[in-house]
Amino acid sequence: MEVGRVIVCALAVFVALFSERFVVLASFSQSMDSDFTFTLPAGRKECFFQTMKKDASLEIEYQVLDGAGLDVDFLISSPSGQVLFSDYHKSDGVHTVETVDGDYMFCFDNTFSTVSEKLIFFELILDNMEIEEEQDDWKEYVQGTDILDMKLEDIMDTINNVKARLGKSVHIQTVLRAFEARDRNIQESNFDRVNFWSITNMVVMMVISGIQVYLVRSLFEDKRKVRT
Amino acid sequence: MVSVRMRSCVLSVLLLNVFYNVVSSLYFHIGETEKKCFIEEIPDETMIIGNYRTQLYDKQREEYLPATQGLGMFVEVKDPDDKVILSRQYGSEGRFTFTSHTPGEHQICLHSNSSKFALFAGGLLRVHLDIQVGEHANNYAEIAAKDKLTELQLRVRQLVEQVDQIQKEQNYQRYREERFRQTSESTNQRVLWWSIVQTLILVAIGIWQMRHLKSFFEAKKLV
């Protein structure tokens, strides 16, 4: 019994060492996501790559948060180079891909804009990235020998459930934050625009009235008398 | 006795899981003197851990190998007020940590410290990057070991941290929404204010023009 347990523990260590797709204990749910916000300079194209396994799914969601026109070209291509999705001048988009083994490339293209740089937010959600059996194997090691066996499992299930839902809340918060950032950027550029054009308008008005007066006066500056 | 052994077994599996985390992260290519920046908008008192790994393209074998020694990455982090809060050089594989003290957009910039242009051999440096924010940055294996938590306690602690982070984010969201509303209201006010002022100035200029020209013509004895 003791020996058995030691062997089981050694096995656990071995499996952890040699398996590639072990996910951190901290994430109970199977999906891993990462989000990034970056500045895409004018006239540039930036590409990112993600290594995927077979039969997993990749969901990418992107938004343009700032920059004149608030649009960007987007492209996803499979490991074999085939273009899977292509967006033209879109301000946000969502795409899901059922994956094969290899590196997926996705690119944001701002080459059509010569002066304005874009602020782009994108989020990658990976599902089914680890193998199912490993998760179950791990559970076996955890099941203790206490009498509270079954009760512990129920509590664990509830906790897993709660964690998954909280994970979704965090995800929704991230998306909302991106939307809000975009609206805020639009507002701030409105504010700047209103200030700038109002002052310009006033200055132009005053300059033009000065010029008008000057021109009319200069019509009468010469010594010729105007016929009445 | 038995439970202690089981716990240490679980913990060692935990530890190994944590170390094998960086496997399938996003990667991108970076040029010799190129600087890539990422923006993270975070509430205050939030910890961020960034892990990166670099690979250099080997022309002979035509593939990406783990990077050579001596090739490091320079990491620079700026806070929302454009003050540099982290500026350090790390090796070809590294991990950087910082905690935000003001809420807002923090900028994380990476560039390689290579000064020899030939080193990249015309190819590019491949950088794997993973940024963990808030409670994802916690090392639970360490916390479990330090506070001697059972597994149930560990999981509950994790839920608490997660809820904490959600709450912090919500507070920050409220502060941002307030700023947003202030900007909108100010814009709205300014549109009205500028229009009125412009109309008044237009009328005043018109009156001034007519009076000035009238006195001018009278002086010239034309009227």
Side-chain angles (χ1 to χ4, degrees), chain A residues 2 9 22 25-26 37 49 103, chain B residues 5 9 14 17 27 39 158:
Chain A
E2 279 284 342
C9 182
F22 244 38
L25 167 69
T37 311
F49 304 81
D103 292 355
Chain B
R5 203 165 278 174
C9 169
L14 260 172
N17 284 343
Y27 69 84
I39 297 174
Q158 201 175 342

Side-chain angles (χ1 to χ4, degrees), chain A residues 2 9 22 25-26 28 37 44 46 49-50 103 142 173 177 184 187 191 195 201 212 217, chain B residues 5-6 9 14 17 24 27 34 36 39 41 151 155 158 166 176 184 186 190 198 205 209 212:
Chain A
E2 279 284 342
C9 182
F22 244 38
L25 167 69
F28 301 103
T37 311
R44 284 282 301 265
E46 295 271 354
F49 304 81
Q50 173 70 44
D103 292 355
V142 172
Q173 267 190 337
R177 184 178 65 211
R184 189 165 23 97
Q187 252 321 345
F191 180 76
N195 282 343
N201 200 358
Q212 278 178 339
R217 279 177 70 132
Chain B
R5 203 165 278 174
M6 190 47 67
C9 169
L14 260 172
N17 284 343
S24 66
Y27 69 84
E34 211 186 328
K36 284 265 167 97
I39 297 174
E41 191 168 4
E151 200 208 321
R155 294 200 187 192
Q158 201 175 342
I166 290 179
R176 268 178 311 179
S184 300
S186 165
R190 276 180 200 223
Q198 277 171 15
I205 282 182
Q209 272 186 334
H212 181 85

Side-chain angles (χ1 to χ4, degrees), chain A residues 84-145:
Chain A
L84 299 171
F85 292 106
S86 168
D87 284 342
Y88 180 71
H89 282 26
K90 285 274 176 62
S91 116
D92 48 60
V94 177
H95 296 292
T96 311
V97 179
E98 302 296 323
T99 61
V100 295
D101 269 335
D103 292 355
Y104 281 78
M105 171 172 87
F106 48 96
C107 296
F108 297 95
D109 194 340
N110 194 23
T111 43
F112 59 83
S113 164
T114 43
V115 284
S116 86
E117 61 173 24
K118 306 276 158 69
L119 185 67
I120 297 181
F121 160 83
F122 71 91
E123 190 177 36
L124 276 176
I125 303 168
L126 312 175
D127 264 338
N128 305 328
M129 275 295 282
E130 76 269 287
I131 313 161
E132 287 284 358
E133 306 93 48
E134 283 171 13
Q135 197 102 4
D136 292 331
D137 275 353
W138 186 90
K139 270 200 182 146
E140 265 179 51
Y141 305 139
V142 172
Q143 263 176 28
T145 54

Side-chain angles (χ1 to χ4, degrees), chain B residues 74-102:
Chain B
F74 205 80
V75 177
E76 195 181 49
V77 178
K78 287 207 189 127
D79 77 348
D81 306 318
D82 257 348
K83 202 176 62 157
V84 175
I85 55 180
L86 177 73
S87 174
R88 260 193 64 179
Q89 190 172 301
Y90 295 85
S92 65
E93 219 177 284
R95 141 193 271 233
F96 55 91
T97 311
F98 67 93
T99 306
S100 64
H101 297 295
T102 37

